[in-house]
Amino acid sequence: AGVRQFTRFDLQPWAQPETGFHRLALRFRFESEIDCAASLAFENTDTSELIVNGEKVSEHLNGYFIDESIGIVRLPGIKRGKNEIIASIPIGDRTKPEAFYLLGKFGVKVTGSKRTVTALPDNIGFSPLCEQSLPFYTGPIDYICKFKTNGDASVRLPAFIGAAVRVFVDGNDIGLIAYDPYRLRLNVKAGEHEIIMRLYPSRFNLLGALHNNDIEEYRIASFVWRQNGDKWTYGYHFRPSGILSEPIIESLPDVVQ
């Protein structure tokens, strides 16, 4: 007996009984420019088996990724050159294959459908993260700058894509930038200061329907991920995220708060 095809009209998994399990083997192949430590995050870690570059993984659950449905398992490591991960997972009417997330301190270069692990960039600039070897990264990220002022000042962000930006000056939490006019008073005295702008990006480039060719599709529903024909690609459609232009430090009272 096989597994019934899932459609968008089905009940959510927790609302239907499981009628039995089968096993599904998935093979992931990719190249790396570096040797580095790594972990794999995925669902049903307790009933799955992993083989990495021919070595069976004996590690157990080592925390969670995003929420407690997605467990983390430490891998033997990524090697320079070709790598292969084989995952044997349960599958049934209620238990479906979900995404796997390779975690570690590394960057990723994406060319078409080819993904290559690279060294983590030392610094980032004011441009989309997906253009700076961080195409799948959607966690908080800090932009750190120095500035001098003759007195109190404000910071203004002309262009950023993300949920919000939290601002710290000299280690102090100044507040959140989330709404127009995207400006925040810094409450500083004359002198040199360090400003940290912590961006909280959207989760789209990690969890979104990246293989859907309809780049204007903004609905969130199961059919958005299940496409075929001209609406499907093995490549990736990332959305820009990040602080996209230099922040502007303006002296007070030159601007109205």
Side-chain angles (χ1 to χ4, degrees):
V3 176
R4 181 176 57 83
Q5 183 177 3
F6 183 82
T7 74
R8 63 173 174 159
F9 301 107
D10 279 6
L11 295 172
Q12 291 290 345
W14 55 83
Q16 57 183 316
E18 184 59 85
T19 57
F21 288 111
H22 300 270
R23 302 296 297 184
L24 176 66
L26 303 172
R27 177 185 286 117
F28 305 96
R29 289 173 172 162
F30 60 94
E31 295 186 13
S32 176
E33 297 178 355
I34 59 171
D35 298 315
C36 64
S39 298
L40 196 66
F42 57 101
E43 295 189 19
N44 301 310
T45 56
D46 56 334
T47 54
S48 301
E49 297 177 355
L50 295 176
I51 299 175
V52 178
N53 296 327
E55 180 181 346
K56 186 174 181 178
V57 177
S58 58
E59 291 283 346
H60 299 292
L61 183 67
N62 186 43
Y64 300 97
F65 180 59
I66 301 179
D67 66 43
E68 292 188 1
S69 295
I70 306 174
I72 298 175
V73 175
R74 277 197 297 253
L75 303 182
I78 294 173
K79 65 179 183 179
R80 184 193 302 265
K82 295 181 179 180
N83 291 264
E84 180 183 79
I85 298 174
I86 298 175
S88 174
I89 64 173
I91 184 173
D93 287 340
R94 174 174 173 171
T95 306
K96 304 297 183 184
E98 295 287 351
F100 285 68
Y101 306 97
L102 189 65
L103 310 178
K105 293 183 178 180
F106 52 77
V108 178
K109 178 174 62 179
V110 177
T111 306
S113 61
K114 183 179 180 181
R115 300 132 302 165
T116 303
V117 173
T118 66
L120 190 68
D122 293 329
N123 298 288
I124 57 170
F126 297 111
S127 62
L129 296 176
C130 57
E131 299 174 2
Q132 302 184 74
S133 298
L134 296 171
F136 300 102
Y137 184 76
T138 62
I141 190 162
D142 288 354
Y143 296 77
I144 305 173
C145 302
K146 302 281 189 180
F147 70 95
K148 290 182 179 180
T149 179
N150 294 324
D152 201 1
S154 68
V155 60
R156 182 164 57 87
L157 299 180
F160 74 91
I161 300 178
V165 177
R166 184 161 292 282
V167 177
F168 302 85
V169 174
D170 300 332
N172 299 311
D173 186 347
I174 302 301
L176 201 66
I177 295 178
Y179 304 107
D180 192 18
Y182 308 111
R183 179 187 289 127
L184 187 65
R185 185 169 185 167
L186 301 179
N187 297 313
V188 293
K189 296 180 179 180
E192 183 175 283
H193 304 276
E194 179 185 79
I195 184 170
I196 298 175
M197 294 157 287
R198 180 168 296 162
L199 175 82
Y200 296 92
S202 157
R203 287 288 192 186
F204 180 85
N205 286 346
L206 180 72
L207 305 177
L210 299 175
H211 302 287
N212 189 328
N213 268 336
D214 186 356
I215 60 176
E216 295 183 354
E217 177 61 83
Y218 278 83
R219 290 174 292 178
I220 303 298
S222 59
F223 69 87
V224 176
W225 279 260
R226 294 179 171 87
Q227 296 294 342
N228 52 35
D230 289 346
K231 284 196 172 183
W232 167 265
T233 177
Y234 285 98
Y236 295 85
H237 291 300
F238 298 108
R239 292 180 183 173
S241 66
I243 298 179
L244 305 184
S245 67
E246 295 82 357
I248 297 174
I249 304 294
E250 297 172 310
S251 296
L252 295 177
D254 296 342
V255 298
V256 177
Q257 296 298 304

